[in-house]
Amino acid sequence: MSESIVERNILTVIEPAIALDPLEIFDVESDSENSDNETMKEKPSKVSSYIPLIRVNNYELQGDRLNYFCLKNDGFYPTCKIIFDDVDGFFTARFYPTDGDIVQVNIRSQGDESTFKPIRIDFTIVDCKPVGGGGGATANRYMVMGRMFVPNLFTENVEYEEEVTSWDALLNIAERLQLGYASNVEETADTMTWTNPNDTTETWIQDIVANSYLSDETFFNSYIDPYYYLTMVDVNRLFSQEGAIEASQTFSTNPGDNFGAEGADGQEDNFPNYLSNMIQMQGGARYVSKHQLINKSGEISKANGYKKYSQYWDLNAKEWISEFVDPLTNNTPGMIPATKGRLIDGEVEGPRTDQVKYKYLGTQGDNVHPEFQYSTVLNYQNITEINKIGMEIELDTVNPALVRYSRIYVQILEYGIPVQNVLLAPSNNDIEGEQTPQTRSEGSEGNDAQTSGNQNGVVNEYLTGFYVIAGVEWLFTKPGPLRMKLKLQRREFTPST
C-alpha cells in the first residue's frame, strides 16, 4: 500500500528553544541608522550560501584561508571537519581553542528565507591539530573536528518517563534539552516506564528508539537534524516505489550568479521533486554531477544473516520465546529485491534460507511493553538491512529542499555508447525469473544509439527510481562554491540486463 505525501513527510511537533552564541557581521546592507544609512548592492549576508561563514573560537575563516569544509548529517548528531591556513598567524597566537571553545557555522539557504531556514550550528571542538605548513616557510595548516553542541546531551542521569509511549518520551526529553521535535508518525504502541540507569541522555534516547514499536510493518530511527530538531522516523513508509513525484523548489547552480539581485535568488517553485544527470539540467540545483553505487551486502549478511531470531524468557507467560525477524521489503511486481540474496531458476538460493542468526536478550517481564525484546531485533535488523546497497550522488550546489529521510526520485541517463548498446540490446530469453529487462524492439526509435550514440542519453532503468535520503553532506573545497552530497538507499531495483 502506498503512503500519502503527508504520511511520509516529517512534520514539526515543537520548535527548538536552544540558545546559540551570537554570530554577527557588520551591517552594511540595511540602509538604516544601524548601517550609517549605507547599503551595498552585493549583500555580505548572502555570501554564506556559497562560502560558509565559520568562526573557530571567534577566529573567522575568510575565503582565502578556508581549504575544506564538510558538515555531515548521517549519524545521531551533525559533525563537521574544517581545514584552513593560519595565514596571518593570529589563530596560533591568539585564538587557539581551549576546553569549552566552539566553532560557529552559518550556511544561508538559497531561495525564500521564509521557506528554508539557514543552517546555524554551534559545534564543540573534538580535535584541533596541525596537518601541514609551518616552519616559517608557509602558513600553518590546521584541521578542526567538531560535533553539534547540545547542553546536557552527554550528561549522565538517573531519570524516567512514567507510563508513556516512546514517541511521548522523546518529546519530553527534547523539551528538557530545548530541542525541537519532529516525526512522521503521530504515536507509537509501546506504553511503559522508560528508565535511564545513569547513562548519558544520548544513550538513553537511542535505547528508547531501539525498543520503539508501532507494528510489525514499521521500524524506527532517530537523529538530531542541523536545525536542532530531535527527529523520530518510521523508515519503512519511505521505501514505497509507488505514487507520483511531488512538487518542490529548485535553484540556480551558483547563487553568486544572482548576487545582489532582487527576488528569490533563482528560486523556481512547483518544480518536480527529482534529481537527474540529464545534461539539460546543468545549471540547476537538481543536476547530479557524480553518482556511484555502494554495496555492503556481503559484509552485512555475514554479520546479521538474512533472518535473526529474537530469543528471551517471558517471565509472565513462563515460557521460552524464539521468533524470527525477516527484514521488510515492498515486493513490488517487476522489481528485483536487492537485499534478499540471489535467485537461481526462480528459487531463492540456499544461504537466504539457511544463513540465520540468533540474539539472546535475557528476560522480559511486565515492566516493559509486550514487544520490547522483539522490537530490538525488528528495528536493528531492518535499519542494518537498508544499508546493504545504495548510491552516493553529488550536486553542484546546495538544495535546501533535500532533507534526510525524505523520498526522492532519481533519473540516471547513460551517455557512453558502449553502455547505451548494452541497455538497448535485444532481450535475453534466458534471463532468470519473470522480470522483464530494459529492452527496445529492433524497430523502435532510439536504436540508432547502438551505432551513432544517443546525445540525449538513455535511461538506466536499474538506477532510476525512488530512493530514500539517508544522509546529507555539505561540502566546500577551495575555491568553492558549496555543494551537496547525498547518501541514498533503496531495497528494490528494476532489472536492466
Side-chain angles (χ1 to χ4, degrees):
M1 178 183 297
S2 63
E3 303 282 351
S4 70
I5 295 174
V6 173
E7 288 175 316
R8 284 195 295 262
N9 284 351
I10 298 172
L11 303 178
T12 299
V13 180
I14 59 172
E15 297 288 345
I18 193 167
L20 304 181
D21 282 15
L23 180 60
E24 301 170 340
I25 62 174
F26 288 110
D27 181 5
V28 291
E29 57 186 70
S30 67
D31 195 20
S32 65
E33 292 183 1
N34 190 56
S35 64
D36 294 328
N37 295 314
E38 294 183 358
T39 184
M40 295 178 62
K41 180 181 179 181
E42 298 181 354
K43 299 181 178 181
S45 64
K46 295 186 178 183
V47 172
S48 63
S49 59
Y50 60 97
I51 300 178
L53 174 58
I54 303 172
R55 290 179 182 166
V56 181
N57 190 26
N58 290 320
Y59 179 81
E60 185 168 331
L61 304 183
Q62 299 174 1
D64 62 331
R65 306 174 188 186
L66 181 61
N67 295 306
Y68 176 82
F69 168 77
C70 177
L71 166 60
K72 285 190 176 183
N73 178 30
D74 57 3
F76 181 67
Y77 46 74
T79 60
C80 72
K81 178 180 179 180
I82 306 163
I83 299 176
F84 65 95
D85 292 328
D86 183 15
V87 176
D88 52 17
F90 275 22
F91 178 77
T92 304
R94 298 185 181 180
F95 295 96
Y96 194 86
T98 57
D99 186 26
D101 291 329
I102 62 171
V103 175
Q104 298 172 286
V105 172
N106 185 81
I107 300 174
R108 182 187 183 275
S109 292
Q110 294 192 54
D112 188 346
E113 291 182 312
S114 64
T115 304
F116 300 109
K117 300 177 181 178
I119 294 175
R120 172 68 185 91
I121 306 177
D122 284 349
F123 291 92
T124 298
I125 297 174
V126 175
D127 192 12
C128 178
K129 61 185 179 183
V131 291
T138 58
N140 286 303
R141 177 165 293 181
Y142 287 95
M143 180 182 71
V144 176
M145 309 283 286
R147 65 166 181 260
M148 175 183 271
F149 175 60
V150 179
N152 298 318
L153 183 62
F154 303 103
T155 302
E156 294 181 348
N157 288 303
V158 175
E159 51 189 332
Y160 63 91
E161 291 291 332
E162 187 173 4
E163 290 301 309
V164 296
T165 64
S166 60
W167 193 95
D168 287 317
L170 293 185
L171 171 61
N172 295 337
I173 294 170
E175 286 188 293
R176 288 199 294 274
L177 292 174
Q178 295 186 302
L179 295 171
Y181 186 56
S183 181
N184 65 345
V185 295
E186 295 181 350
E187 195 52 276
T188 50
D190 50 13
T191 299
M192 59 173 277
T193 297
W194 303 88
T195 305
N196 179 9
N198 235 351
D199 281 328
T200 65
T201 304
E202 177 205 12
T203 300
W204 189 29
I205 291 172
Q206 297 192 55
D207 285 347
I208 290 173
V209 176
N211 295 104
S212 297
Y213 181 82
L214 178 57
S215 73
D216 287 356
E217 300 299 316
T218 61
F219 60 95
F220 292 94
N221 199 5
S222 70
Y223 59 96
I224 301 173
D225 76 6
Y227 305 97
Y228 286 90
Y229 288 89
L230 176 61
T231 306
M232 182 184 192
V233 182
D234 168 19
V235 182
N236 189 52
R237 66 178 58 192
L238 299 171
F239 277 92
S240 171
Q241 290 290 314
E242 302 176 4
I245 300 174
E246 300 92 352
S248 185
Q249 293 85 21
T250 191
F251 310 89
S252 63
T253 296
N254 186 351
D257 295 341
N258 303 304
F259 210 52
E262 299 295 330
D265 298 334
Q267 177 174 323
E268 179 182 343
D269 295 326
N270 297 318
F271 192 89
N273 189 29
Y274 80 102
L275 305 173
S276 178
N277 66 337
M278 184 186 303
I279 292 177
Q280 293 88 335
M281 293 181 67
Q282 285 183 332
R286 294 187 174 274
Y287 174 70
V288 177
S289 58
K290 296 180 182 178
H291 68 278
Q292 62 179 10
L293 279 172
I294 304 296
N295 190 336
K296 299 180 180 179
S297 300
E299 175 187 350
I300 292 173
S301 296
K302 176 178 178 291
N304 296 296
Y306 288 97
K307 297 179 183 179
K308 180 173 285 189
Y309 280 81
S310 170
Q311 297 185 320
Y312 58 92
W313 178 258
D314 191 319
L315 296 174
N316 294 327
K318 293 183 173 55
E319 64 178 349
W320 173 252
I321 303 296
S322 180
E323 49 189 347
F324 73 83
V325 172
D326 191 2
L328 300 168
T329 57
N330 297 100
N331 297 319
T332 305
M335 300 195 74
I336 301 173
T339 60
K340 293 292 189 179
R342 66 177 180 171
L343 298 177
I344 298 179
D345 296 328
E347 298 294 330
V348 175
E349 190 183 17
R352 170 70 184 88
T353 303
D354 302 332
Q355 194 167 320
V356 177
K357 300 286 185 176
Y358 299 87
K359 181 65 177 179
Y360 174 65
L361 298 166
T363 62
Q364 177 174 299
D366 58 5
N367 61 330
V368 295
H369 66 83
E371 307 295 339
F372 184 84
Q373 301 289 26
Y374 174 74
S375 62
T376 301
V377 177
L378 176 68
N379 289 315
Y380 177 81
Q381 195 76 351
N382 278 287
I383 286 293
T384 304
E385 191 84 352
I386 60 177
N387 287 319
K388 279 186 172 181
I389 191 165
M391 186 164 61
E392 289 187 355
I393 64 174
E394 287 192 22
L395 311 179
D396 287 337
T397 189
V398 172
N399 188 333
L402 303 176
V403 296
R404 189 177 178 188
Y405 282 117
S406 59
R407 195 178 75 144
I408 185 71
Y409 189 86
V410 179
Q411 181 192 59
I412 298 298
L413 302 177
E414 300 293 351
Y415 292 95
I417 294 177
V419 181
Q420 290 184 3
N421 290 343
V422 172
L423 294 179
L424 298 177
S427 61
N428 184 351
N429 294 328
D430 295 329
I431 289 177
E432 300 162 356
E434 300 178 353
Q435 293 89 355
T436 302
Q438 174 176 324
T439 60
R440 295 191 185 184
S441 62
E442 293 181 2
S444 64
E445 182 179 351
N447 266 355
D448 291 341
Q450 297 185 22
T451 56
S452 62
N454 190 332
Q455 294 182 352
N456 293 322
V458 173
V459 176
N460 186 326
E461 293 182 4
Y462 182 77
L463 299 181
T464 296
F466 284 105
Y467 289 80
V468 175
I469 301 175
V472 182
E473 295 183 21
W474 290 259
L475 295 168
F476 175 89
T477 305
K478 192 175 182 178
L482 199 64
R483 63 190 192 279
M484 180 177 272
K485 177 187 285 188
L486 303 177
K487 296 182 179 180
L488 308 179
Q489 295 173 335
R490 199 177 181 193
R491 294 191 300 209
E492 298 175 318
F493 289 84
T494 302
S496 60
T497 58

